Amino acid sequence: MSPYDPHAAQDRWLPVWESLDLYRAGRPGDGRPKRYILDMFPYPSGDLHMGHAEAFSVGDVVARYWMQHGYDVLHPIGWDSFGLPAENAAIQRGTAPADWTYTNIATQAESFRRFGISFDWSRRFNTSDPEYYRWTQWLFLRFYQRGLAYRKASPVNWCPNDQTVLANEQVIGGRCERCDALVTKKNLTQWYFRITDYADRLLADMAQLEGSWPDRVLLMQRNWIGRSTGAEVAFAIEGRDEPVTVFTTRPDTLFGATFFVVAADSALATELAAGDGHEEEFAAYLEQVKRTSDIERMASDRPKTGVFLGRYAVNPVNGELLPVYAADYVLADYGTGAIMAVPAHDQRDLDFARAFDLPVRVVVDTGEPDPAVTGVATVGDGVLVNSGEYDGLVKAAAIERITADLTARGGGQAAVNYRLRDWLLSRQRYWGCPIPIVHCPTCGEVPVPDDELPVRLPETGVDLTPRGVAPLETARDWVQTSCPGCGGDARRDADTMDTFVDSSWYYLRYCSPDYTDGPFDPAAVAEWMPVAQYTGGVEHAILHLLYSRFFTKVLYDMGLVGVVEPFAALLNQGFVIMNGSKMSKSKGNRVDLQAELARYGVDAIRITMLFAGPPEDDIDWADVSPAGSAKWLARVVRLTGDVGAGGGPAGAGSSGAQAGDPAVRQTTHRTIAAVTTQVEALRFNVAVARLMELTSALRRAIDASRAADASRAADPAVREGAEVLARLLSVLAPYTAEEAWARLGHDPAAGDSVHRAGWPVADPALVAVETVTCVVQVAGKVRDRLEVPVDVSADDLRVRALASAAVQRNLAGRDVRTVVVREPRLVNVVPA
RNA sequence: GCGAGAGUGGCGGAAUGGUAGACGCGUCGGACUUAGGAUCCGGUGCCUGCGGGCGUAGGGGUUCGAGUCCCCUCUCUCGCACCA
């Protein structure tokens, strides 16, 4: 038999699989149970890289596993193909963004094809296809009609490098998520999705995901939404008609308020500073605040700054006059942009009070030293003091009582606040989904009628150079339009949508990619959703996953989908790194996927990634051995070649007595059981280890039988083991498994592919063991080992253990206090 | 600063509270070879007087028994970063 050439196997089997059309999902009348396995679709940045290979290998194992189990598996692929890199490449090279994008898609698609992923290619689409973004626009308009899409003027995150605004979720540590440039603020009118309306549901429905999503992702989302409960309290301002409401989580500390702060960059601050002789000082301060970068502002140990506005607020509980300051440690866009300051019990307020020499009054006695002296605010529980009728209450009771009393008097009420902000979705770039709104001087914002969708991107006449205004503004013929309402001259909205809008519903489109009566066929969505297993990088822990959850809930409310959570289970695979750090051009530590594939073959690379460790851990390519993986795969093929085509199929799990070495059969069936468990637990590294053990066991069996009788045909148990090995391997290393299958006498080209062979079933009788090694301890230390029947009695085991020479030697004449017996595996003799 | 998670051989990593180190890499020895960076077989946590002793970041605790559970300390990683 020829040695194993993985590249020849790839060339041999890929066309066979394609002609068998193995991975098509949802054929009419297919009654098998359905299962949706999804990988986060790629952005077409160039060719596939090591990270893609890992992520998609993991997803492919899961998809193939359920296919072998007899499920009708939907495992689709497409491209998240709108986005900035296409535009930047276009500006640099003078090619159209579409050309760059679709060329890269073709490259990646071909790489995926050769990588042998079990995709249903018939469902492929790209978010930049007009047939797709037509429905993105349609969904935007449904959101708009429901009041969930709106425009407002507000200070927004601005990336000076990409020349566009960014959503809060796209600012990481004060920098642009995409290009790492420092983000600044700008006052602009932009489109938003009202995701804050769904904050509570996004929080509550996480209960459904508990246990099947990584804990840390749920925690990150919880923190991002940042729900906090407390009260809104109205403070009258001297000389102002309307009171100013503040939000506080500590209404119990109301008597400890000694000053009042409004966000310097809020309209309220400007208003309160007017007149009164404090105007100039405030204006100077505001200038200074505006010049402070977000990065500087974020340093929480920065000294507190602010200016007195010459005004006073009235504490509603005791009528005290509180001086009003403008400061930048209060944020304009959280709560009401104004706070009551309680320096004794809030560190930030205390820092400010010490800087401005304001009084500090303890109202909750926590037993800790005076904050005015120590400079450390006390935030724990305690008994109320200096709080009038509330003195003596503990924190929780005081919060309840004071909130109730405020509510009764009309001066406040219980309230909830969120850290989450509405999703800023408009972008001042070209290569994205146009916003289907027309601005009419007479009618205002007018939705483009459904039957005029899609609003297509103009292919010519656009100046792509980023200048801070939407490039589409330069497409004059495109922008000029007539109002769908009154027919008069009007202008198209020239912003495009955040690409995260495109990816917030693509998993629904896969269910019916060619549907023309809506974004998706509700019947198809009902069949497939939710996604049973979603795989992708943890970088989307908040962004894509939060947005998709939001979209699903809105669509649920519209009656279009029947689930409120799109992804039942989530796996965040780790990154592939090199020599301890992320691969990058500048570090010169990039590993080229195509070069690795050319050297070791597809399956060796897949096995290397799967065997390196649990899928959520990073893989340091310097620590792993593709050569070792290739060696094992070659051993598997050699083994099946040695077993050969003779003897006819001996399918595991089929009825009837099986001949052959019982020890080999036990190993085979225990491997089936172990690999099944490990694959379902996504412990592919352990599954591979078990298959390596089976390989070695079968090898030993073959060599032993040859030594005994050179002419003897392969033991049927060895044949059974080899077939099982190929079938189990089919989900991990599809080419090698097919090659092994063929060498065992099957003819994939005639339809007898290992990928149709099904998952073997372990025979419980063979998985069960009849004898086990019992560990005998003296004082908790292992002193002897006994081979005992699995059903040995406790009494019998105790007698045997005590009779052990090693036990007696270690007892050294001491009396036995107790004997702990955990039959059949352990006895612990405890000396007095 | 706050929150979360993790520390196991030379390395990647296995271990329902019950044999620590499965499997692999590396390494050492052997076989086969003109040769081998191919292939195959075997050893490989550390120490040892060969009885055994010590070992899962460090220290304490619970338990007959702890890598696993609890407390403290150290280190690393990730998330948030003035959110009232």
Side-chain angles (χ1 to χ4, degrees):
Chain A
M1 191 63 69
S2 56
Y4 180 44
D5 174 356
H7 299 98
Q10 289 163 214
D11 293 343
R12 183 152 53 242
W13 302 123
L14 184 56
V16 169
W17 296 343
E18 287 176 341
S19 71
L20 293 176
D21 198 11
L22 289 173
Y23 313 121
R24 187 183 298 271
R27 286 191 167 89
D30 190 331
R32 295 177 296 170
K34 300 201 181 309
R35 205 164 188 101
Y36 190 174
I37 306 297
L38 184 64
D39 314 290
M40 287 183 190
F41 65 166
Y43 178 80
S45 51
D47 202 350
L48 300 183
H49 52 67
M50 298 296 283
H52 289 116
E54 193 205 351
F56 286 92
S57 293
V58 165
D60 197 42
V61 176
V62 177
R64 288 179 180 278
Y65 176 80
W66 292 109
M67 288 177 191
Q68 289 287 44
H69 267 271
Y71 281 73
D72 184 8
V73 172
L74 174 56
H75 186 210
I77 181 68
W79 275 267
D80 186 15
S81 52
F82 271 138
L84 260 184
E87 224 167 314
N88 293 339
I91 293 159
Q92 280 164 25
R93 306 174 198 193
T95 54
D99 293 345
W100 182 89
T101 301
Y102 286 92
T103 302
N104 285 344
I105 289 173
T107 304
Q108 290 194 351
E110 178 54 20
S111 289
F112 271 134
R113 195 181 73 90
R114 284 185 284 111
F115 204 70
I117 305 277
S118 59
F119 290 135
D120 177 352
W121 286 96
S122 72
R123 291 172 184 259
R124 163 186 180 181
F125 59 75
N126 313 299
T127 58
S128 57
D129 299 342
E131 304 76 44
Y132 182 87
Y133 72 71
R134 166 188 182 169
W135 297 112
T136 305
Q137 291 173 343
W138 185 91
L139 288 166
F140 174 91
L141 292 174
R142 299 292 91 73
F143 277 51
Y144 182 80
Q145 285 158 1
R146 297 175 76 86
L148 293 171
Y150 67 97
R151 275 205 323 167
K152 74 170 175 191
S154 168
V156 297
N157 302 305
W158 176 260
C159 174
N161 181 52
D162 290 341
Q163 291 281 307
T164 183
V165 298
L166 298 171
N168 266 345
E169 290 80 5
Q170 285 153 31
V171 181
I172 313 288
R175 290 173 180 275
C176 172
E177 177 246 346
R178 181 136 259 159
C179 71
D180 228 31
L182 281 176
V183 169
T184 61
K185 290 275 179 197
K186 255 195 177 184
N187 238 308
L188 291 171
T189 298
Q190 295 292 316
W191 285 99
Y192 292 82
F193 279 142
R194 218 179 284 280
I195 190 171
T196 51
D197 274 12
Y198 283 75
D200 260 333
R201 286 167 66 186
L202 287 165
L203 222 39
D205 291 345
M206 273 187 235
Q208 298 182 24
L209 310 176
E210 211 80 54
S212 45
W213 276 40
D215 287 341
R216 66 167 174 159
V217 173
L218 295 176
L219 184 74
M220 281 167 70
Q221 292 214 355
R222 240 173 235 125
N223 290 342
W224 188 262
I225 295 166
R227 183 181 202 267
S228 54
T229 56
E232 283 176 351
V233 185
F235 282 71
I237 305 283
E238 286 196 324
R240 188 178 196 264
D241 295 336
E242 287 292 307
V244 172
T245 299
V246 303
F247 173 76
T248 177
T249 56
R250 295 292 304 275
D252 57 315
T253 63
L254 212 42
F255 286 84
T258 56
F259 58 103
F260 193 92
V261 188
V262 298
D265 54 345
S266 65
L268 180 64
T270 306
E271 181 213 308
L272 294 178
D276 271 12
H278 293 269
E279 216 159 335
E280 275 182 35
E281 206 188 335
F282 170 74
Y285 179 66
L286 185 57
E287 265 318 296
Q288 180 199 320
V289 168
K290 281 183 173 166
R291 269 185 277 113
T292 312
S293 74
D294 262 31
I295 282 285
E296 286 174 81
R297 264 189 87 140
M298 272 177 15
S300 40
D301 50 355
R302 197 168 61 102
K304 293 283 181 287
T305 59
V307 287
F308 178 49
L309 296 180
R311 308 283 291 260
Y312 292 88
V314 184
N315 190 332
V317 293
N318 56 14
E320 280 184 2
L321 291 187
L322 309 176
V324 177
Y325 286 79
D328 67 352
Y329 83 92
V330 171
L331 307 177
D333 58 352
Y334 180 78
T336 60
I339 63 158
M340 65 173 201
V342 184
H345 306 298
D346 182 288
Q347 189 60 47
R348 297 154 298 178
D349 296 344
L350 181 58
D351 293 343
F352 191 87
R354 284 159 72 92
F356 287 80
D357 205 21
L358 292 159
V360 177
R361 184 195 303 147
V362 172
V363 290
V364 179
D365 182 5
T366 63
E368 292 159 284
D370 186 357
V373 177
T374 61
V376 178
T378 60
V379 297
D381 202 354
V383 177
L384 263 70
V385 294
N386 297 322
S387 299
E389 58 179 299
Y390 304 101
D391 280 0
L393 291 178
V394 296
K395 183 170 159 181
I399 289 174
E400 199 175 313
R401 278 270 301 279
I402 294 176
T403 305
D405 292 351
L406 284 170
T407 309
R409 294 207 312 264
Q413 60 190 347
V416 176
N417 239 294
Y418 299 93
R419 194 182 161 282
L420 180 71
R421 312 293 152 85
D422 277 342
W423 170 10
L424 198 175
L425 72 103
S426 40
R427 295 290 179 273
Q428 289 70 51
R429 296 301 299 247
Y430 164 77
W431 189 235
C433 176
I435 292 172
I437 293 285
V438 169
H439 298 282
C440 170
T442 324
C443 312
E445 286 169 7
V446 183
V448 173
D450 287 352
D451 61 11
E452 289 178 25
L453 299 181
V455 175
R456 286 173 179 269
L457 278 175
E459 284 161 26
T460 54
V462 187
D463 178 4
L464 296 180
T465 318
R467 293 195 174 85
V469 293
L472 287 177
E473 296 278 11
T474 65
R476 298 177 58 185
D477 294 346
W478 182 88
V479 169
Q480 292 286 355
T481 188
S482 55
C483 172
C486 67
D489 283 348
R491 297 177 63 79
R492 292 191 184 282
D493 195 297
D495 284 350
T496 51
M497 294 186 212
D498 181 2
T499 55
F500 282 105
V501 179
D502 308 329
S503 56
S504 288
W505 70 281
Y506 79 106
Y507 46 90
L508 297 167
R509 184 72 182 168
Y510 279 140
C511 298
S512 51
D514 302 319
Y515 194 64
T516 53
D517 296 337
F520 46 82
D521 179 355
V525 165
E527 264 188 341
W528 293 109
M529 288 294 287
V531 173
Q533 177 72 54
Y534 196 30
T535 306
V538 74
E539 66 272 19
H540 290 116
I542 294 171
L543 292 155
H544 163 60
L545 291 168
L546 189 69
Y547 296 148
S548 296
R549 296 183 59 223
F550 164 58
F551 256 63
T552 301
K553 289 172 202 309
V554 174
L555 295 172
Y556 175 87
D557 290 348
M558 289 167 58
L560 290 175
V561 303
V563 295
V564 294
E565 287 293 338
F567 313 124
L570 175 70
L571 172 67
N572 287 137
Q573 90 286 349
F575 296 104
V576 183
I577 61 175
M578 186 62 186
N579 280 316
S581 53
K582 222 177 146 179
M583 291 185 198
S584 74
K585 210 183 277 178
S586 58
K587 289 196 191 102
N589 65 346
R590 282 240 277 254
V591 179
D592 179 46
L593 174 62
Q594 297 306 331
E596 296 295 290
L597 291 174
R599 187 161 172 206
Y600 300 105
V602 167
D603 283 352
I605 297 307
R606 289 167 73 125
I607 290 297
T608 301
M609 301 213 163
L610 296 168
F611 186 56
E616 44 277 281
D617 289 358
D618 289 349
I619 297 171
D620 193 329
W621 203 246
D623 289 337
V624 296
S625 170
S629 303
K631 198 163 95 177
W632 171 56
L633 293 171
R635 276 173 49 132
V636 170
V637 171
R638 222 178 309 126
L639 177 88
T640 53
D642 287 352
V643 173
S654 56
S655 57
Q658 295 277 349
D661 183 344
V664 172
R665 300 208 62 222
Q666 283 182 340
T667 304
T668 298
H669 284 259
R670 287 169 194 165
T671 303
I672 295 170
V675 170
T676 303
T677 305
Q678 298 296 347
V679 169
E680 290 210 20
L682 310 179
R683 262 36 204 170
F684 312 118
N685 54 329
V686 186
V688 171
R690 296 290 97 87
L691 290 176
M692 287 173 168
E693 287 172 329
L694 177 60
T695 309
S696 298
L698 295 173
R699 179 84 259 162
R700 275 194 301 274
I702 290 174
D703 290 350
S705 84
R706 277 184 174 166
D709 177 2
S711 66
R712 188 177 145 195
D715 185 326
V718 171
R719 176 170 191 83
E720 181 194 27
E723 297 224 338
V724 163
L725 178 58
R727 290 159 74 190
L728 296 175
L729 188 63
S730 71
V731 303
L732 303 160
Y735 288 111
T736 306
E738 192 76 299
E739 180 71 21
W741 193 246
R743 293 192 187 204
L744 286 167
H746 300 276
D747 186 359
D752 184 8
S753 163
V754 73
H755 300 294
R756 283 180 171 171
W759 195 250
V761 178
D763 180 347
L766 289 164
V767 174
V769 291
E770 52 270 18
T771 65
V772 295
T773 306
C774 176
V775 175
V776 184
Q777 301 175 332
V778 176
K781 291 190 193 299
V782 179
R783 299 300 179 185
D784 202 1
R785 293 178 167 85
L786 305 170
E787 282 302 313
V788 298
V790 69
D791 54 354
V792 66
S793 76
D795 288 341
D796 191 7
L797 198 54
R798 173 179 300 133
V799 170
R800 288 212 215 181
L802 288 171
S804 154
V807 168
Q808 290 304 322
R809 187 173 62 236
N810 279 282
L811 276 173
R814 288 175 293 177
D815 287 340
V816 173
R817 193 171 79 199
T818 57
V819 180
V820 178
V821 182
R822 291 287 178 271
E823 73 276 9
R825 283 228 134 84
L826 178 128
V827 178
N828 188 9
V829 179
V830 185

